């Protein structure tokens, strides 16, 4: 088949014989593939230890920002547990009761994880911050809190480095900037780890500034403001992650250039004359379903139609390595005015 364009494989075009790679679709190969579980485990271990230390420091110092950060880390730990559950259940093989597999289940658990971040982290931090502002407290000795924040910063930084290393490898594989990869990837687990660890580092900085402000002014206002800002930060992260998972849970089609490439590939099969309807669905990272109503040539025999279906599936798998299921429905031609576009 002739080339469908040059360069920019991430936009659904390919050179002769080269598969299409697109960050919005994902794949099961390349640098960083299969490393999501390890990334989440590292993040969970770091958050659990940090949560305990922050809680103790918050009680000893009476710092609202430290207690907000403790709630943040508890929420992050619960989030990682839910993400691990999503990774395990999302890879279960298809069976008679679930013929399309369990790929979408990972987005259900990931959506619950974003809810945990929203409620357990964001809402708790906002509540404690507002309480600190309305019932001003005299700051205690912040030394323990500073030490805990320093250790937490190191641990969260190591966790973030693990997540960024995987995300960077995947971004290079798809030949896109890392921010674009994180924005569009269907692997929302690694996206959650990177975003939450980044928010954790910002939250630690805000908590430190709140402690410093209280130490210099002997006022608890700074501590309360820091807690409120941490809450707002976590709510923003939760909303972004929740929106990404909800979109994939509802069902996201292939990008328009890739749908056009799929249509061209089907029409390149000798016995296919027209593609009346084309449905594509990203079921999970590296897992795509393609279904189409196609018009076969009237003179094609049943054997030719069967081999045409096999050829079409082979072409689509070669075009997009993430294709796992292809369903073609022989359909009589329709009037030209009723045929849809790509």
């Amino acid at each position: 088949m002739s080339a469908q364009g040059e360069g920019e494989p991430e936009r659904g075009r390919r050179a002769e014989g080269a598969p299409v790679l697109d960050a919005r679709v994902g794949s099961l190969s390349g640098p960083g593939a299969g490393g999501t579980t390890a990334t989440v485990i590292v993040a969970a271990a770091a958050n659990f230890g940090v949560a305990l230390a922050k809680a103790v420091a918050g009680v000893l110092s009476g710092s609202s920002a430290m207690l907000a950060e403790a709630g943040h880390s508890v929420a992050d730990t619960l989030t990682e547990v839910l993400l691990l559950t999503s990774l395990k259940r999302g890879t279960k093989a298809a069976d008679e009761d679930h013929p399309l597999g369990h790929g979408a289940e990972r987005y259900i658990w990931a959506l619950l994880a974003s809810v945990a971040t929203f409620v357990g982290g964001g809402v708790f931090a906002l509540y404690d911050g507002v309480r600190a502002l309305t019932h001003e407290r005299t700051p205690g000795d912040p030394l323990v809190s500073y030490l805990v924040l320093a250790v937490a910063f190191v641990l969260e930084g190591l966790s973030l480095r693990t997540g960024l290393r995987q995300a960077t490898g995947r971004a290079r594989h798809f030949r896109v900037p890392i921010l674009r990869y994180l924005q569009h990837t269907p692997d929302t687990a690694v996206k959650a780890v990177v975003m939450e660890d980044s928010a954790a580092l910002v939250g630690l900085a805000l908590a430190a500034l709140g402690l410093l402000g209280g130490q210099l002014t002997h006022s608890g206002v700074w501590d309360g403001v820091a807690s409120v800002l941490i809450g707002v930060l976590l709510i923003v992260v939760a909303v972004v992650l929740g929106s990404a998972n909800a979109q994939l849970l509802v069902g996201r089609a292939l990008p328009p250039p890739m749908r056009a490439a799929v249509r061209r590939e089907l029409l390149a099969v000798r016995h296919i004359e027209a593609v009346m309807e084309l449905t594509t669905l990203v079921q999970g990272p590296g897992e795509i379903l393609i279904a189409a109503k196609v018009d076969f040539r009237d003179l094609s025999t049943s054997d030719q139609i069967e081999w045409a279906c096999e050829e079409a599936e082979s072409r689509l798998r070669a075009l997009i390595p993430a294709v796992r299921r292809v369903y073609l429905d022989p359909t009589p031609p329709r009037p030209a005015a009723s045929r849809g576009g790509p």
Side-chain angles (χ1 to χ4, degrees):
M1 181 180 174
S2 60
Q4 302 295 342
E6 296 179 1
E8 298 188 72
E10 72 278 9
R11 296 189 180 181
R13 293 182 284 185
R14 62 170 183 163
E16 181 69 34
V20 169
L21 298 176
D22 195 301
R24 294 165 290 186
V25 171
S27 73
L28 300 179
S29 62
T36 303
T37 300
T39 298
V40 174
I41 290 175
V42 170
N47 285 321
F48 180 72
V50 168
L52 293 177
K54 287 177 180 176
V56 172
V59 171
L60 293 178
S61 66
S63 169
S64 175
M66 285 302 298
L67 291 175
E69 273 298 297
H72 179 181
S73 294
V74 169
D76 281 354
T77 303
L78 177 58
T79 294
E80 311 308 338
V81 172
L82 291 171
L83 290 177
L84 285 172
T85 303
S86 77
L87 293 174
K88 181 177 180 181
R89 296 190 62 84
T91 55
K92 291 176 62 177
D95 53 39
E96 187 175 349
D97 293 327
H98 304 88
L100 298 181
H102 296 73
E105 189 170 350
R106 71 165 61 211
Y107 300 124
I108 297 176
W109 291 97
L111 184 61
L112 291 176
S114 65
V115 173
T117 299
F118 182 89
V119 177
V123 173
F124 172 78
L126 277 177
Y127 168 77
D128 204 55
V130 171
R131 188 178 65 173
L133 290 172
T134 54
H135 302 80
E136 187 171 340
R137 297 174 250 180
T138 302
D141 186 359
L143 178 59
V144 174
S145 296
Y146 283 135
L147 292 175
V148 169
L149 288 175
V151 173
F153 199 89
V154 173
L155 294 177
E156 295 286 6
L158 292 174
S159 176
L160 177 60
R161 185 181 69 170
T162 301
L164 284 176
R165 185 178 297 167
Q166 183 190 1
T168 301
R170 303 305 290 151
R172 288 175 183 163
H173 179 61
F174 294 112
R175 305 178 196 174
V176 296
I178 186 171
L179 290 180
R180 182 175 176 184
Y181 169 77
L182 290 174
Q183 180 182 2
H184 296 292
T185 178
D187 189 354
T188 54
V190 68
K191 179 177 182 175
V193 169
V194 171
M195 288 192 65
E196 288 172 357
D197 285 345
S198 299
L201 293 178
V202 175
L204 291 172
L206 290 172
L209 290 174
L211 289 172
L212 180 61
Q215 187 179 11
L216 295 176
T217 63
H218 303 287
S219 171
V221 171
W222 292 95
D223 194 50
V225 170
S227 181
V228 169
L229 291 177
I230 291 170
V232 171
L233 174 66
L234 292 178
I235 287 174
V236 170
V237 170
V239 169
V240 171
L241 292 176
S243 176
N245 283 293
Q247 183 187 54
L248 288 160
L249 186 59
V250 170
R252 189 172 76 185
L254 293 179
M258 295 184 71
R259 296 202 298 270
V262 168
R263 184 179 290 273
R264 288 194 299 268
E265 208 71 27
L266 289 173
L267 292 174
V269 177
R270 180 179 177 185
H271 295 280
I272 294 180
E273 287 196 332
V275 178
M276 267 76 70
E277 292 183 18
L278 178 62
T279 301
T280 63
L281 179 65
V282 178
Q283 295 182 287
E287 190 172 349
I288 296 171
L289 179 147
I290 295 177
K293 289 182 176 292
V294 297
D295 176 25
F296 289 94
R297 290 183 178 178
D298 293 337
L299 298 180
S300 298
T301 65
S302 58
D303 285 343
Q304 288 173 330
I305 291 176
E306 290 173 356
W307 281 109
C309 292
E310 289 293 315
E311 181 185 349
E313 183 170 352
S314 297
R315 281 178 172 271
L316 293 178
R317 289 179 184 273
L319 174 72
I320 308 174
V323 170
R324 291 290 173 269
R325 298 175 181 86
V326 177
Y327 301 110
L328 299 181
D329 178 16
T331 305
R334 301 175 182 177
S338 67
R339 295 187 184 178

